[in-house]
C-alpha cells in the first residue's frame, strides 16, 4: 500500500478520538451485515449503515463547531483518473472501501465524474479528458473503477454511484444557441460522447450485482420548464440505452447535486397568484413549473417513468448538503402582497441572486441531514457534495487537475445568459474545486437549517422534547392510501418535523401537520402514530394511535369495453387538461351507451375547487356527450376525476364511438401540474389507456382504478 501523509492507522486513531460520533445515525441504526451475494433491494438506503469519509470528517471536526456534522455520511468523488489510486494524502478508492469495511458500514457512496469534455458550460469543473477521448474514459477510468468495485471483498457493501453530474443537462440547455450556450457544449452534443460515456458506465457498473446507479438530473432551476424537462427525459433515455446499457441499469436519479436549490419553499407555491398575476411570472421563477427540489424530483420521477420508460420502482435522491438557507435572513413567512415579485422575493428561503448561480453561494447553509425514504418516491436525502469542499476558485490558479477559472466563481462578475446576467453571489477567496474551503464551511454551519443543536449553535444544549401531537385523525382513504392530520406540537425552540409511523415503521417525516401514506393494500387495517421532533433531535412521545382500513378498491376491469386515448396538450403545467378518447366494444354483443361512464383521474393542486368541463368535438356529436368533474379517492395523482357519459344509443360489437375531444379547467383558470396525474399519458397517437376507467352500470369494465 502506498505511503500516505495521513496513514490508515492515523485515520483509525481519529475515529477513536472522535468516539462520540454515532456513525450514520441519521440514516439508520446498525444492522447485521447482509448475506453474501444479496439480491438488489428496492431502496439501498433502507436498513443501511453508510460509510463516513473520515478524511472529510477530520477536516470538519477541526473547524469550530464542525463536530456537529462530522459524523454524517457523504459521497467520495472520483473526479480524475489519478483519484482511483489516490493523490497525495487522499485515499484511493480501494482504501476508502476498506475503511468502510472497518467501520462496519454496509453502504458506500461514490461519484463517477470524468467524462470526455466534462461539464462543457462550467470551466471550474472541466475535466482532464478532451472531447474525443472516449476510449481513455472507458479503459483508464471506468474499467479500473469497475475492477475495484467488483472485488468479492466488497460484495456485502451496497455501492451507490452518482453517474456524471451536469453533463447531460448541458446538452439540453447549453448546446443549441440558447442564452449561455457554449461552443464546447455544441461539440459534445454533436459527437455524442456524453451519451456513450454514460451508457458505458451504466452498463459496466450495472453488471456488478451490488452497485446501484443514479444518474444526475440537475435541479429545478435548470430543467423545471416544460421546454427543458421533457427533452431532458429523452436525453436521459438516450444515454441509458447507449453502449449496451438498458433502463434496468438505472436504479434512480439524483437532483441538486452540488447545488443550493431549496428542498422546500414553505411560504409560497407556483400556483399562487398576486392581484391576478401568477407567481410563475415573477422574475425569480421566470415561468418555471417548480419552486423547489422536492416537487421537482417527484414531478421528474413521474415523467421519467411515463415518458422515458424507466422502471416503475425508480428512486430519487436529493442532495441536501448545502440547501438549508437558515440564519438571520431566512423569511419567517410569506412576503407582501403588493406585487408578484415582492411576494416571491419576500417569501423564498433560497436567498441566491438568481437560481442559475451555483458557485460557493453566499448565505447558504447546511440542509436536511441524510435521511432514508423521507417522502414518496424519494429513496434518500444525501450529502453528495460534502460541505466545505469548494465549487471552484474565485481567481485563476494554475493546477494539474484540469480545472479552469470560471467567472461564475468570481464575486465581481456580472453574469451571463445562464444566470440572467446577474451578479454571481459567490464567496471570495475560494480555492480549486474539491479543495477545503474553511470560510464556506463555517458559513454553512452558521446558516444551517434545521439549525444545529436547536438553533443556538454548537453547545446550545437543548434537551427538551416537544409535546406529543394530539388530535390524530384519518381525513381520507382509498384502496391504496390513508390521509392523516393532527394538531401541532409545541417546543421550547421549534418543532422542525413530524415522524409518522405505520405500526413500528416510520413512513414519512413531513414538516406540516398532515400526511398521506400511499402504496397500501386494499381492504387492510393499518395503525398510525405521530411523534414531533425539534432541531436538536429531541423527539416527543407518540400520539394516540388511530386505525384505518383501506377501501376495497376499484379493481381491474374485465368487461367487453376498452378506452383509447391520446394527449392533445403537450404542456403539463398550463390551465387546462386536454385529451381525446374513444370507446371500443371488444365483445360480441351491443352495449347501451346510456349505461357507460368513463373516469379520467387527476389532481387539481391548489386553486378553485369548482371546474368547467367541455366537449370540443365528437364523432357522435357533443350533444350526445356529458362531462363533469367529481371528487374521488385521496391518493397520489387521483383526488378527482372527469366523468364522461353518453345519451341514448348503442355501441355495436366491434364498434367504436370515434374520437371525442375533451378539456377541463378550474373556475379560476389557475394552472394544473399534470405530470403526476394517474390517468395522464404523453402519447400523441391513440393507444389503449388502462388507467382510464370504463364503467357499465356502475361496474368497472375496463382499466385499473386508483
Amino acid at each position: 500500500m502506498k505511503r500516505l501523509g495521513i496513514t490508515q492507522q492515523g485515520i483509525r486513531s481519529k475515529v477513536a478520538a472522535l468516539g462520540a460520533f454515532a456513525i450514520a445515525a441519521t440514516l439508520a441504526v446498525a444492522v447485521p451485515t447482509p448475506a453474501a451475494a444479496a439480491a438488489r433491494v428496492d431502496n439501498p438506503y433502507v436498513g443501511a449503515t453508510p460509510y463516513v469519509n473520515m478524511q472529510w470528517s477530520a477536516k470538519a471536526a477541526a473547524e469550530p463547531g464542525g463536530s456537529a456534522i462530522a459524523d454524517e455520511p457523504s459521497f467520495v468523488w472520483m473526479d480524475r483518473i489519478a483519484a482511483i489510486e489516490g493523490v497525495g494524502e487522499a485515499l484511493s478508492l480501494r482504501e476508502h472501501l476498506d475503511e468502510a469495511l472497518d467501520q462496519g458500514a454496509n453502504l458506500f457512496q461514490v461519484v463517477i465524474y470524468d467524462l470526455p469534455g466534462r461539464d462543457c458550460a462550467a470551466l471550474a469543473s472541466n475535466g482532464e479528458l478532451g472531447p474525443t477521448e472516449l476510449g481513455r474514459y472507458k479503459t483508464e477510468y471506468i474499467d479500473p473503477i469497475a475492477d475495484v468495485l467488483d472485488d468479492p471483498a466488497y460484495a456485502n457493501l451496497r455501492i451507490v454511484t452518482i453517474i456524471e453530474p451536469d453533463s447531460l443537462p448541458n446538452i439540453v440547455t447549453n448546446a443549441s444557441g440558447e442564452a449561455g450556450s457554449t461552443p464546447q457544449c455544441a461539440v459534445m452534443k454533436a459527437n455524442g460522447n456524453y451519451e456513450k460515456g454514460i451508457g458505458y458506465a451504466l452498463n459496466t457498473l450495472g453488471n456488478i450485482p451490488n452497485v446501484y446507479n443514479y444518474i444526475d438530473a440537475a435541479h429545478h432551476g435548470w430543467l423545471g420548464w416544460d421546454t427543458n424537462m421533457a427533452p431532458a427525459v429523452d436525453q436521459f433515455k438516450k444515454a441509458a440505452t447507449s453502449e449496451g446499457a438498458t433502463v434496468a441499469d438505472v436504479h434512480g436519479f439524483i437532483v441538486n447535486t452540488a447545488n443550493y436549490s431549496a428542498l422546500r419553499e414553505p411560504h409560497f407555491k407556483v400556483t399562487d397568484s398576486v392581484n391576478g398575476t401568477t407567481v410563475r411570472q415573477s422574475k425569480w421563477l421566470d415561468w418555471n413549473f417548480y419552486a423547489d427540489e422536492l416537487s421537482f424530483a417527484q414531478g421528474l420521477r413521474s415523467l421519467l417513468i411515463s415518458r422515458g420508460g424507466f422502471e416503475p420502482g425508480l428512486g430519487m435522491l436529493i442532495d441536501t448538503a448545502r440547501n438549508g438557507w437558515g440564519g438571520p435572513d431566512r423569511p419567517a413567512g410569506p412576503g407582501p402582497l403588493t406585487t408578484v415579485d415582492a411576494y416571491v422575493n419576500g417569501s423564498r428561503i433560497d436567498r441566491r441572486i438568481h437560481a442559475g448561480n451555483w458557485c460557493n453561494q453566499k448565505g447558504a447553509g447546511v440542509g436536511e441531514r441524510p435521511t432514508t425514504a423521507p417522502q414518496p418516491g424519494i429513496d434518500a436525502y444525501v450529502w453528495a457534495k460534502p460541505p466545505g469542499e469548494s465549487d471552484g476558485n474565485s481567481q485563476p490558479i494554475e493546477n494539474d487537475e484540469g480545472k479552469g477559472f470560471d467567472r461564475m466563481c468570481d464575486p465581481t462578475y456580472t453574469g451571463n445568459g445562464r444566470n440572467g446576467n446577474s451578479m454571481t453571489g459567490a464567496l471570495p477567496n475560494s480555492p480549486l474545486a474539491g479543495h477545503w474551503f474553511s470560510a464556506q464551511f463555517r458559513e454553512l454551519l452558521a446558516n444551517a437549517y434545521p439549525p444545529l443543536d436547536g438553533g443556538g449553535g454548537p453547545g446550545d444544549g437543548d434537551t427538551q422534547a416537544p409535546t406529543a401531537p394530539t388530535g390524530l385523525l384519518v381525513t381520507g382513504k382509498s384502496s391504496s392510501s390513508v390521509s392523516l392530520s393532527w394538531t401541532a406540537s409545541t417546543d421550547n425552540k421549534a418543532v422542525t418535523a413530524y415522524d409518522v409511523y405505520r405500526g413500528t415503521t416510520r413512513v414519512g417525516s413531513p414538516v406540516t401537520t398532515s400526511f398521506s401514506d400511499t402504496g397500501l393494500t386494499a381492504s387492510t387495517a393499518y395503525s398510525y402514530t405521530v411523534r414531533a421532533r425539534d432541531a436538536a433531535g429531541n423527539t416527543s412521545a407518540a400520539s394516540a394511535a388511530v386505525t384505518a382500513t383501506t377501501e376495497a378498491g376499484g379493481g381491474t376491469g374485465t368487461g367487453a369495453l376498452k378506452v383509447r386515448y391520446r394527449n392533445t396538450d403537450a404542456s403539463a403545467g398550463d390551465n387546462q387538461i386536454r385529451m381525446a378518447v374513444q370507446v371500443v366494444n371488444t365483445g360480441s354483443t351491443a352495449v347501451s351507451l346510456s349505461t357507460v361512464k368513463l373516469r379520467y383521474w387527476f389532481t387539481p393542486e391548489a386553486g378553485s375547487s369548482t371546474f368547467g368541463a367541455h366537449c370540443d368535438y365528437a364523432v357522435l356529436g357533443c350533444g350526445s356527450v356529458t362531462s363533469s368533474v367529481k371528487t374521488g379517492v385521496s391518493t397520489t395523482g387521483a383526488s378527482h376525476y372527469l366523468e364522461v357519459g353518453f345519451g341514448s344509443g348503442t355501441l355495436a360489437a366491434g364498434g367504436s364511438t370515434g374520437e371525442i375531444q375533451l378539456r377541463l379547467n378550474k373556475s379560476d383558470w389557475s394552472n394544473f401540474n399534470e405530470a403526476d396525474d394517474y390517468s395522464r399519458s404523453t402519447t400523441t397517437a391513440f393507444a389503449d389507456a388502462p388507467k382510464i376507467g370504463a364503467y357499465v352500470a356502475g361496474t368497472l369494465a375496463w382499466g385499473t382504478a386508483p
Side-chain angles (χ1 to χ4, degrees):
M1 183 177 294
K2 70 184 182 67
R3 189 175 179 84
L4 299 173
I6 300 177
T7 64
Q8 292 263 11
Q9 184 59 44
I11 292 175
R12 294 190 186 100
S13 296
K14 290 182 182 296
V15 177
L18 300 173
F21 288 0
I23 301 297
T26 54
L27 275 172
V29 297
V31 296
T33 302
R40 283 197 182 100
V41 295
D42 290 337
N43 182 350
Y45 288 87
V46 171
T49 301
Y51 168 58
V52 175
N53 180 347
M54 297 312 295
Q55 289 194 303
W56 172 82
S57 180
K59 293 175 183 177
E63 298 283 355
S67 60
I69 64 169
D71 61 342
E72 297 290 355
S74 59
F75 279 74
V76 173
W77 285 63
M78 294 288 107
D79 62 354
R80 49 185 166 146
I81 292 168
I84 303 170
E85 293 299 323
V87 182
E89 294 184 345
L91 295 181
S92 69
L93 177 59
R94 187 176 293 278
E95 287 165 341
H96 276 298
L97 288 160
D98 289 339
E99 284 292 331
L101 296 180
D102 286 348
Q103 285 183 12
N106 68 347
L107 185 141
F108 183 82
Q109 303 174 106
V110 59
V111 178
I112 307 300
Y113 188 47
D114 201 28
L115 271 179
R118 185 181 77 192
D119 205 347
C120 54
L123 297 175
S125 47
N126 280 173
E128 62 190 345
L129 299 178
T132 62
E133 293 188 285
L134 181 63
R136 289 190 63 197
Y137 177 76
K138 293 179 177 180
T139 61
E140 297 180 39
Y141 181 70
I142 293 298
D143 289 351
I145 288 175
D147 288 343
V148 174
L149 299 185
D150 201 25
D151 189 322
Y154 311 125
N156 288 338
L157 287 173
R158 301 173 186 175
I159 299 173
V160 170
T161 68
I162 293 176
I163 303 297
E164 297 294 348
D166 290 346
S167 294
L168 288 176
N170 274 316
I171 297 300
V172 176
T173 62
N174 298 322
S176 301
E178 306 89 345
S181 292
T182 69
Q184 295 91 334
C185 289
V187 167
M188 299 316 300
K189 181 176 182 177
N191 68 24
N193 281 345
Y194 280 177
E195 296 96 332
K196 295 171 188 174
I198 288 173
Y200 186 81
L202 290 170
N203 183 24
T204 304
L205 301 177
N207 285 332
I208 303 171
N210 54 318
V211 168
Y212 299 77
N213 290 321
Y214 290 79
I215 297 177
D216 179 78
H219 54 88
H220 86 278
W222 190 338
L223 299 180
W225 293 266
D226 57 348
T227 51
N228 291 346
M229 199 161 165
V233 168
D234 296 341
Q235 188 68 54
F236 297 144
K237 175 67 173 293
K238 182 179 179 181
T241 52
S242 297
E243 299 291 309
T246 70
V247 294
D249 291 314
V250 181
H251 198 80
F253 286 76
I254 181 169
V255 300
N256 207 44
T257 302
N259 209 265
Y260 299 86
S261 296
L263 178 64
R264 303 179 186 86
E265 283 290 0
H267 305 313
F268 77 101
K269 304 183 294 296
V270 293
T271 52
D272 290 345
S273 295
V274 177
N275 300 324
T277 302
T278 172
V279 300
R280 290 185 58 227
Q281 297 182 52
S282 66
K283 183 178 180 181
W284 173 252
L285 286 177
D286 190 25
W287 293 99
N288 201 312
F289 284 111
Y290 299 93
D292 54 36
E293 287 306 290
L294 179 57
S295 62
F296 171 68
Q298 292 173 323
L300 177 61
R301 178 181 181 273
S302 296
L303 196 60
L304 286 162
I305 295 169
S306 63
R307 180 186 180 98
F310 288 92
E311 300 287 345
L314 196 73
M316 304 296 288
L317 304 178
I318 303 177
D319 184 359
T320 59
R322 305 181 302 174
N323 69 349
W325 295 104
D329 293 332
R330 182 183 176 92
L337 294 172
T338 51
T339 67
V340 70
D341 284 321
Y343 173 68
V344 172
N345 288 333
S347 300
R348 61 183 173 93
I349 62 167
D350 186 338
R351 306 311 297 168
R352 287 178 294 175
I353 298 169
H354 189 276
N357 288 351
W358 54 267
C359 193
N360 300 323
Q361 290 298 286
K362 181 177 176 60
V366 169
E368 291 280 350
R369 311 308 178 259
T371 308
T372 296
Q375 293 289 333
I378 310 299
D379 280 355
Y381 299 151
V382 298
W383 283 8
K385 177 75 168 183
E389 293 188 1
S390 174
D391 296 320
N393 42 301
S394 55
Q395 297 178 352
I397 299 175
E398 291 189 10
N399 66 93
D400 60 357
E401 301 178 26
K403 297 169 183 174
F405 169 51
D406 195 305
R407 292 296 304 279
M408 289 299 291
C409 299
D410 176 359
T412 69
Y413 182 48
T414 57
N416 56 38
R418 289 188 296 280
N419 80 330
N421 296 298
S422 303
M423 298 296 291
T424 67
L427 290 168
N429 305 315
S430 57
L432 288 173
H435 289 225
W436 189 253
F437 190 8
S438 176
Q440 183 199 46
F441 182 83
R442 297 183 188 197
E443 182 167 288
L444 290 171
L445 287 185
N447 294 327
Y449 195 90
L452 304 179
D453 291 335
D460 183 63
D462 178 20
T463 60
Q464 182 174 326
T467 61
T470 58
L472 180 61
L473 296 172
V474 176
T475 57
K477 56 186 180 178
S478 72
S479 60
S480 61
S481 70
V482 171
S483 297
L484 305 166
S485 70
W486 55 91
T487 302
S489 298
T490 59
D491 185 61
N492 65 317
K493 298 288 186 178
V495 174
T496 57
Y498 294 90
D499 294 326
V500 181
Y501 290 85
R502 183 199 313 132
T504 60
T505 302
R506 189 179 71 173
V507 292
S509 298
V511 297
T512 60
T513 55
S514 62
F515 180 76
S516 290
D517 187 22
T518 60
L520 305 178
T521 302
S523 303
T524 302
Y526 296 94
S527 177
Y528 293 91
T529 55
V530 180
R531 296 176 182 265
R533 174 162 44 88
D534 65 19
N538 300 308
T539 302
S540 76
S543 68
V546 297
T547 299
T549 300
T550 50
E551 303 289 353
T556 299
T558 57
L561 296 182
K562 72 175 180 179
V563 180
R564 293 175 61 78
Y565 160 96
R566 68 181 181 93
N567 188 320
T568 60
D569 183 4
S571 174
D574 59 14
N575 57 15
Q576 296 185 80
I577 296 176
R578 289 172 285 198
M579 73 198 76
V581 298
Q582 54 185 217
V583 184
V584 178
N585 184 351
T586 60
S588 57
T589 59
V591 174
S592 172
L593 281 173
S594 64
T595 66
V596 176
K597 302 285 187 183
L598 308 185
R599 291 184 181 180
Y600 176 98
W601 286 282
F602 69 97
T603 53
E605 288 76 42
S608 176
S609 59
T610 58
F611 302 83
H614 315 276
C615 171
D616 290 330
Y617 168 79
V619 173
L620 297 173
C622 281
S624 300
V625 178
T626 62
S627 59
S628 61
V629 173
K630 299 183 178 181
T631 302
V633 299
S634 179
T635 188
T636 302
S639 61
H640 294 66
Y641 58 89
L642 172 68
E643 185 172 82
V644 181
F646 303 90
S648 59
T650 58
L651 184 59
S656 168
T657 60
E659 182 168 355
I660 304 166
Q661 295 179 8
L662 303 162
R663 61 184 168 90
L664 65 96
N665 60 274
K666 287 177 272 190
S667 296
D668 62 0
W669 291 92
S670 59
N671 286 340
F672 295 93
N673 177 11
E674 299 179 59
D676 64 346
D677 285 356
Y678 180 85
S679 295
R680 184 177 189 266
S681 170
T682 57
T683 179
T684 57
F686 272 114
D688 290 354
K691 289 191 174 182
I692 299 178
Y695 293 78
V696 177
T699 299
L700 185 63
W702 163 264
T704 301

